[in-house]
Amino acid sequence: MARGQLRVYLGAAPGVGKTYRMLEEGRRRRQRGTDVVVGFVETHGRPFTEAMLSGLEVMPRRAMTYRGAQFTEMDLDAILARRPEVVVVDELAHTNVPGTRHAKRFHDIEELLDAGITVLTTVNIQHLESLNDVVEQITGVPQRETVPDAVVRRAEQIELVDMTPEALRRRMAHGNIYRAEKVDAALGNYFRVGNLTALRELALLWLADKVDEQLDRYRAEHRIDATWEARERVVVALTGGPEGETLIRRAARVAARTRAADLLAVHVIRGDGLAGADPANLARQRILAESLGGTYHQVVGNDIPAALLDFARGVNATQLVLGASRRHRLAQLLSPGVGVTTTAESGSIDVHLVTHEQARRGRLRFGPTRGVTVRRRLAGVALAVLGLPLLTAGLVAVQADISLPSDILAFLMLTVAVALVGGLWPALLAAVGSFLLLNYYFTPPMHRFTVAERENLFALLAFVLVAVAVSTVVDLAARRTREAASARAEAQTLSTLAGSVLHGDRPLHALLERVRESFGLTSVTLLQRRTDADAGPRGEAGSWQIAANVGDQPCTSPADGQTEVPIDDDLSLVLRGPTLAASDRRLVEAFAAHAAIALRQQRLSEQAATAGSLAEVDKLRTALLSAVSHDLRTPLASAKAAVGSLRSPDVEFSAEDRAELLATAEESLDRLNRLVENLLDMSRLQAGALGMSAQAISVAEAIPRSIDDLGDAADGVRVTVPDDLPEVYADPTLLERILVNVLANALRYSPAGQPPLISVSEHAGLVEVRVIDHGPGIPAADRDRVFQPFQRLGDRDNTTGVGLGLALSRGLAEAMGGSLEPENTPGGGLTMTLTLRTADLDARADPALLDRLDTFPHDAP
């Protein structure tokens, strides 16, 4: 049975028309004669969407009961039994009610696809798993319902349903997305222009990557090697030499000239797998490329120009950056080199040859130069010195029975044996000795270093050439074997070190510890030069301080260790223990560079955390001193003046005057008491020590108590509360404090004759309390500032308080699992919206059910 196809309608935000477009496609296929059914579509009461369902067969939903509440879900079994050709299923990221066969709707869709049924579905960009944290950072709203990116990427077709933020907000204002009472809250929160613009960009970029994958797959399937300049891609070739950093920076500047250009760094490894570049340089260059927004790649190839061009064409590169050749002029005359060859064969790819300080200074040699050990060389020399006389004596004894060619073959076998044991130089010694012995003992005239016949002279010369060639090949094979073993050991060490760093909570410590274990060292110390000792001797102990250390007996200066690996002028890695071999030192150099990066990142993280904390403390201290110097002193002065006047024996006050003075003192002390309570509560809130007792309470009962606390000033406040308003989960005392602070702020700025309005509504498991005033409002740029402690936006009258009311109110709301957000009042003014969860269902006991209830503003449909 052929698998069904998946078509996804992707949108940047709710309301762009995904469901409408999906139903439109379903109707079009129905008109063509395709068997189409609607498995599940959520219209959210939108008339245009509901109209699109007419003429389509809608499958009945499955009714389910969970914790006393009724829910409906898609009836998967009924659809499988019906077996349509195409099924329309809305909300790909939806979480099913517990008790269904699958936890997520995309699992239901996978089963439908496996049954050979084509599925049309919808999803918003904020529900993709890879963008979950990004969306939360942009909107401030966590997305609890997510779908893996791989599920969407596997779709045969992905169609972007796009709409400008302005058009979407107009659609919202016309009532085409939410009911009228929800429009203002939506426009001021999730549907802000900035949020919608950012979400739209995320959708476009994500889909562009998907299109890029499809283009690469198409080019591969059709074997298209030519470059299609759909996107600018700059490839920089690295050899591992010191000029690599110059090339990377130049390539980054080239890529920066075009918006959204890709930077790719590539290093070609020899086909035999042997190390040919300095790993320390490559490690530093890889970090540099990634820090500039690029990626690092390695490819294998014996023909470097061909490997580079194959890679460039494979990634659809448009430009290739190469360094000028390091070879001398004579070498360039004998062979054109990588740069010239690559340029000649690049075709439509632009090649940049960049000059650098290493140009024409000769090739850099990396890696070990010895093919065999000293012991084997000595063994080879001994075999030559002892073997040549013995072989000569044996051949002289049977000289009458064998000819000169047989003698030559015997000496050749000995030379090959010497090459196998001792390498090239002992074999050359054996070849020269064999030539002399063959000439003296076995070539006429005997016992003289002359050759009578030209044929014999040719045979002897051929013997020497063959012996040298065979010895060279054997020595080269020994070198390759040794280098291969070294490369494999380095690769294993690198892999182990990388794993320890990636899986460790302390990367720097894990890296140094793995170096110590790998090379059997006593200690590994990362030293940093003291800032006050730059001019001191490098080996002086007082000039250095320990940045990190593992093992016993840490080194306090580079002279304390057996091996020092300088990183830069201020950092050095010092090893105490056995002296490292040259090949091991190269390996340690590579990880010394990573250790320096890890140290700097660790220091930056610590500095950022410290600086952030100090800045907040300093800012809070300054604001507190400023507020205390004015706002706490004002009520104290008023109360003191009133009491002092009453106690004065010089003035006789009437009963009416005495009552007025006492009222002034009482009012000032009450204001002072509220200020002190706010300060204490804010301190407890920031310290996490605020006591809270959440319970099911009625907002309708809390509002009148809050109005009473404000006294006569709140007499004209209007209140609109639905009769069927559910209870909320909240602390009664804290809820009243929030309402008092927010309402007091609204009363302070409301114009005469236009008292504030308190409007309460319920939507999708959330109760929203709006305190609406028609005052001057708050500019959009200052909305976040009003929730910072001690911020009053320039207000300095004697009754404004210390600027803690709104900051404290938001903190209390968030402590109860709610939110407090500002928005513009239509016609002018400010609306503060307090959002709390209803107490109808204990949704917090089940995250999946919470997702069902939390459709706005967190996961708006």
Side-chain angles (χ1 to χ4, degrees), residues 109-345:
I109 291 177
E110 286 291 331
E111 187 170 346
L112 292 172
L113 295 173
D114 291 337
I117 301 174
T118 295
V119 178
L120 308 181
T121 188
T122 63
V123 69
N124 280 329
I125 193 67
Q126 66 262 30
H127 296 299
L128 295 181
E129 183 65 43
S130 65
L131 300 176
N132 189 23
D133 56 338
V134 180
V135 172
E136 181 176 358
Q137 182 181 6
I138 293 171
T139 64
V141 178
Q143 304 295 325
R144 296 182 177 87
E145 286 191 331
T146 60
V147 59
D149 289 45
V151 174
V152 183
R153 289 188 181 276
R154 286 198 298 266
E156 282 73 18
Q157 297 183 65
I158 301 178
E159 181 176 334
L160 179 65
V161 183
D162 189 31
M163 178 175 289
T164 65
E166 294 77 11
L168 183 57
R169 286 172 60 85
R170 284 196 300 270
R171 178 178 289 185
M172 172 73 73
H174 293 160
N176 294 330
I177 300 178
Y178 293 126
R179 297 192 304 272
E181 62 270 19
K182 305 300 178 185
V183 170
D184 291 337
L187 291 177
N189 289 277
Y190 195 86
F191 286 83
R192 294 194 294 266
V193 174
N195 288 358
L196 297 177
T197 303
L199 293 174
R200 187 187 186 200
E201 183 178 14
L202 285 177
L204 292 170
L205 291 175
W206 189 92
L207 189 61
D209 289 338
K210 170 66 176 177
V211 173
D212 211 27
E213 292 178 3
Q214 293 176 338
L215 178 60
D216 291 341
R217 185 166 58 249
Y218 177 86
R219 284 162 47 85
E221 292 174 352
H222 292 78
R223 299 180 180 179
I224 299 174
D225 296 329
T227 300
W228 289 2
E229 298 186 15
R231 177 188 291 188
E232 199 75 19
R233 287 185 175 87
V234 181
V235 174
V236 53
L238 304 177
T239 63
E243 76 280 359
E245 295 184 2
T246 301
L247 300 181
I248 293 173
R249 290 190 174 92
R250 179 58 182 272
R253 291 196 297 270
V254 172
R257 295 170 186 168
T258 304
R259 183 174 175 83
D262 295 333
L263 174 64
L264 301 92
V266 60
H267 171 65
V268 180
I269 304 174
R270 283 159 42 182
D272 52 17
L274 304 180
D278 188 347
N281 283 342
L282 283 177
R284 285 190 289 267
Q285 291 163 14
R286 175 174 187 168
I287 295 171
L288 175 61
E290 293 175 348
S291 68
L292 294 174
T295 57
Y296 179 82
H297 307 267
Q298 287 185 335
V299 295
V300 179
N302 291 319
D303 188 346
I304 295 179
L308 284 176
L309 291 173
D310 287 343
F311 174 81
R313 294 188 180 106
V315 298
N316 204 20
T318 57
Q319 302 188 62
L320 180 60
V321 178
L322 301 174
S325 176
R326 290 194 300 260
R327 302 185 307 154
H328 295 294
R329 187 181 301 273
L330 179 60
Q332 294 181 20
L333 292 176
L334 297 176
S335 175
V338 174
V340 176
T341 305
T342 304
T343 304
E345 300 177 359

Side-chain angles (χ1 to χ4, degrees), residues 557-586:
S557 72
D560 292 345
Q562 280 68 40
T563 304
E564 179 194 4
V565 182
I567 301 174
D568 54 30
D569 293 339
D570 298 325
L571 288 175
S572 182
L573 190 67
V574 183
L575 314 180
R576 185 189 293 274
T579 303
L580 296 180
S583 58
D584 292 339
R585 182 183 178 88
R586 293 190 311 113

Side-chain angles (χ1 to χ4, degrees), residues 42-86:
E42 189 64 66
T43 64
H44 303 290
R46 300 166 188 169
F48 293 105
T49 304
E50 292 176 350
M52 294 300 294
L53 287 172
S54 63
L56 294 174
E57 179 183 351
V58 180
M59 298 294 296
R61 298 186 182 185
R62 178 187 176 188
M64 300 187 66
T65 302
Y66 180 71
R67 294 193 175 185
Q70 295 292 323
F71 298 92
T72 59
E73 292 287 359
M74 181 177 69
D75 196 336
L76 179 61
D77 293 329
I79 297 174
L80 291 173
R82 169 69 171 74
R83 296 196 61 80
E85 295 179 67
V86 177

Side-chain angles (χ1 to χ4, degrees), residues 144 167 170 176 208-209 223 234 306 358 375 411 447 457 464 496 520-521 569 650 656 691 694 758 766 777 805:
R144 296 182 177 87
R170 284 196 300 270
N176 294 330
D209 289 338
R223 299 180 180 179
V234 181
Q358 303 298 324
R375 179 176 297 181
F411 277 98
H447 307 296
L457 177 60
V464 173
T496 304
L521 301 170
D569 293 339
D650 300 333
E656 183 179 352
I758 300 178
L766 299 175

Side-chain angles (χ1 to χ4, degrees), residues 523-810:
S523 66
V524 179
T525 307
L526 182 62
L527 295 178
Q528 184 174 22
R529 185 183 288 271
R530 296 183 182 274
T531 56
D532 56 350
D534 292 338
R538 185 174 181 84
E540 190 175 297
S543 301
W544 298 87
Q545 60 183 356
I546 297 177
N549 176 78
V550 295
D552 301 329
Q553 305 176 14
C555 301
T556 58
S557 72
D560 292 345
Q562 280 68 40
T563 304
E564 179 194 4
V565 182
I567 301 174
D568 54 30
D569 293 339
D570 298 325
L571 288 175
S572 182
L573 190 67
V574 183
L575 314 180
R576 185 189 293 274
T579 303
L580 296 180
S583 58
D584 292 339
R585 182 183 178 88
R586 293 190 311 113
L587 188 62
V588 174
E589 287 176 351
F591 281 90
H594 287 283
I597 298 298
L599 175 64
R600 291 189 178 96
Q601 290 177 342
Q602 177 179 310
R603 295 277 175 83
L604 288 174
S605 299
E606 294 172 355
Q607 292 173 3
T610 303
S613 301
L614 292 176
E616 289 298 325
V617 171
D618 185 66
K619 184 178 179 181
L620 192 64
R621 183 188 298 112
T622 302
L624 177 60
L625 291 175
S626 175
V628 170
S629 66
H630 180 276
D631 296 294
L632 292 182
R633 186 174 57 190
T634 300
L636 281 174
S638 299
K640 185 177 183 303
V643 174
S645 299
L646 290 172
R647 295 186 60 193
S648 175
D650 300 333
V651 181
E652 186 71 26
F653 292 100
S654 64
E656 183 179 352
D657 292 337
R658 291 177 61 86
E660 183 178 354
L661 289 173
L662 288 173
T664 299
E666 182 180 15
E667 181 183 353
S668 299
L669 292 175
D670 287 342
R671 186 163 67 250
L672 178 63
N673 182 62
R674 285 196 297 270
L675 293 176
V676 173
E677 286 182 352
N678 283 343
L679 285 170
L680 292 176
D681 283 346
M682 178 58 70
S683 300
R684 297 188 188 103
L685 190 63
Q686 292 180 340
L690 182 67
M692 185 181 67
S693 176
Q695 55 186 279
I697 62 173
S698 172
V699 174
E701 297 177 0
I703 292 176
R705 291 195 296 266
S706 302
I707 295 176
D708 292 340
D709 288 345
L710 293 173
D712 297 339
D715 287 345
V717 174
R718 297 167 295 162
V719 180
T720 302
V721 181
D723 296 335
D724 57 348
L725 183 71
E727 294 182 326
V728 298
Y729 273 110
D731 183 294
T733 303
L734 299 185
L735 177 58
E736 290 184 26
R737 291 286 302 279
I738 296 172
L739 293 174
V740 167
N741 285 334
V742 174
L743 185 56
N745 186 75
L747 288 168
R748 183 178 303 126
Y749 295 105
S750 292
Q754 290 183 294
L757 167 66
I758 300 178
S759 175
V760 187
S761 61
E762 185 271 336
H763 172 68
L766 299 175
V767 170
E768 296 175 341
V769 181
R770 289 183 176 82
V771 180
I772 305 169
D773 68 61
H774 295 278
I778 299 177
D782 293 331
R783 287 184 181 176
D784 291 334
R785 289 180 54 201
V786 300
F787 292 105
Q788 298 176 8
F790 315 112
Q791 295 292 329
R792 296 172 297 183
L793 300 182
D795 195 354
R796 287 291 183 272
D797 62 48
N798 291 346
T799 61
T800 55
V802 295
L804 272 178
L806 293 182
L808 178 62
S809 298
R810 170 176 274 189

Side-chain angles (χ1 to χ4, degrees), residues 404 438-439 441-446 448 450-453 456:
L404 179 60
L438 283 169
N439 187 4
Y441 288 101
F442 304 103
T443 305
M446 303 296 184
R448 294 176 61 184
T450 59
V451 180
E453 300 180 6
N456 293 337

Side-chain angles (χ1 to χ4, degrees), residues 17-35:
K18 303 179 304 298
T19 304
Y20 186 93
R21 189 76 61 83
M22 177 182 63
L23 291 173
E24 189 176 47
E25 174 65 15
R27 291 168 62 90
R28 187 181 66 82
R29 296 195 182 197
R30 181 63 178 268
Q31 293 173 358
R32 290 188 318 187
T34 305
D35 185 12

